[in-house]
């Protein structure tokens, strides 16, 4: 069996278990339910102690999250690995997702899974067991249901699992991003409320997949092509 055939076979097998379940999709698509363990862990780690080294490492990790997510979205727009399963009428899917036109017909890798796996990796760098729990949570609650309802192939999720954490782990080992953020935290030592406010805005955007940034990106793209 080819890789493409295996990808499709796993998709159809998982889809048969609950692709038409509204309850499953409502849980998996609920921002609070799917994101709570990951975002709670990030905020708890940030405020668990006033250590510039750890906070600098976390900020470098969050920068990596942004980069990985942008690379994922860019890939969906510019690489044609395969079209999104629910848009392929040749695949007999049972799904609660309407088969309507999408602005991104390609689905590799999953941007949602990339974001959440990246965030779990940030937690993992600081606390191994908590991070492992976040990885399992993201896989079970965020990633696999997206295969079940036909939004993504298993390879889309695997690509996200590699891209997101690999970018975070790379940034965690590089000295420059961490050192830059550590120095910035030192500069803002008497005004850390500014850093906290910026972190809150970032997490608020990430909580629902950067909707405002995505909208701004589309506006700028239209302006460049007009």
């Amino acid at each position: 069996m080819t890789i493409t055939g295996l990808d499709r076979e796993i998709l159809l097998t998982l889809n048969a278990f609950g692709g038409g379940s509204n309850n499953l999709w409502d849980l998996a698509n609920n921002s609070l339910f799917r994101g709570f363990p990951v975002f709670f862990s990030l905020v708890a780690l940030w405020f668990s102690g006033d250590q510039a080294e750890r906070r600098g490492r976390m900020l470098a990790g969050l920068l990596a999250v942004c980069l990985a997510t942008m690379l994922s979205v860019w890939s969906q727009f510019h690489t044609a690995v395969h079209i999104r399963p629910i848009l392929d009428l040749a695949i007999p899917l049972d799904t609660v997702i309407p088969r309507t036109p999408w602005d991104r017909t390609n689905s590799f890798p999953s941007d949602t899974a990339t974001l959440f796996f990246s965030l779990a990796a940030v937690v993992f760098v600081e606390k191994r067991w908590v991070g492992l729990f976040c990885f399992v949570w993201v896989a079970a609650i965020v990633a696999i249901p997206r295969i079940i309802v036909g939004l993504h192939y298993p390879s889309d999720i695997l690509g996200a699992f590699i891209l997101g954490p690999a970018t975070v782990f790379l940034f965690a080992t590089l000295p420059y991003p961490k050192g830059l953020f550590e120095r910035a935290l030192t500069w803002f030592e008497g005004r850390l409320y500014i850093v906290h406010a910026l972190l809150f805005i970032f997490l608020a955007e990430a909580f629902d997949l950067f909707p405002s940034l995505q909208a701004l990106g589309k506006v700028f793209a239209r302006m460049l092509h007009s």
Side-chain angles (χ1 to χ4, degrees):
M1 181 180 292
T2 64
I3 295 177
T4 301
L6 180 62
D7 215 15
R8 175 170 172 153
E9 189 66 28
I10 296 174
L11 167 70
L12 292 174
T13 300
L14 290 176
N15 178 254
F17 279 105
S21 172
N22 282 292
N23 291 332
L24 172 67
W25 179 241
D26 287 344
L27 278 177
N29 203 41
N30 184 280
S31 297
L32 178 61
F33 182 74
R34 71 183 182 184
F36 182 82
V38 177
F39 287 94
F40 178 87
S41 300
L42 287 169
V43 174
L45 285 169
W46 179 265
F47 288 106
S48 62
D50 188 11
Q51 299 176 357
E53 182 181 355
R54 191 194 68 252
R55 286 180 171 177
R57 192 168 52 242
M58 289 184 69
L59 289 174
L62 293 176
L63 176 62
V65 170
C66 290
L67 177 60
T69 304
M70 287 190 296
L71 285 173
S72 176
V73 173
W74 182 90
S75 177
Q76 290 182 8
F77 274 115
H78 296 92
T79 60
V81 177
H82 46 231
I83 67 170
R84 199 174 293 274
I86 60 171
L87 300 181
D88 189 347
L89 299 180
I91 302 179
L93 290 175
D94 182 16
T95 180
V96 296
I97 308 298
R99 294 195 173 197
T100 54
W102 289 61
D103 59 348
R104 282 170 279 168
T105 57
N106 300 311
S107 61
F108 181 87
S110 167
D111 55 319
T112 304
T114 298
L115 170 66
F116 278 95
F117 279 132
S118 300
L119 292 172
V122 176
V123 178
F124 180 83
V125 169
E126 305 304 322
K127 291 289 184 180
R128 295 290 190 268
W129 288 108
V130 179
L132 283 174
F133 173 79
C134 288
F135 272 122
V136 172
W137 180 269
V138 170
I141 305 301
V142 179
I144 294 177
R146 304 187 80 78
I147 302 173
I148 292 176
V149 299
L151 283 176
H152 287 284
Y153 284 100
S155 59
D156 299 336
I157 302 303
L158 179 61
F161 180 71
I162 295 173
L163 172 62
T167 308
V168 171
F169 295 151
L170 176 63
F171 273 57
T173 58
L174 294 175
Y176 181 74
K178 292 184 296 181
L180 180 63
F181 282 118
E182 285 178 32
R183 288 194 294 272
L185 288 170
T186 302
W187 297 335
F188 283 95
E189 188 172 2
R191 299 180 295 276
L192 275 179
Y193 59 88
I194 297 176
V195 180
H196 298 331
L198 292 172
L199 178 67
F200 175 82
I201 293 172
F202 172 86
L203 293 179
E205 275 289 295
F207 198 78
D208 204 23
L209 306 178
F210 301 109
S212 298
L213 289 179
Q214 289 193 44
L216 283 174
K218 291 176 182 178
V219 170
F220 289 141
R222 288 197 300 267
M223 290 173 63
L224 290 173
H225 290 88
S226 61

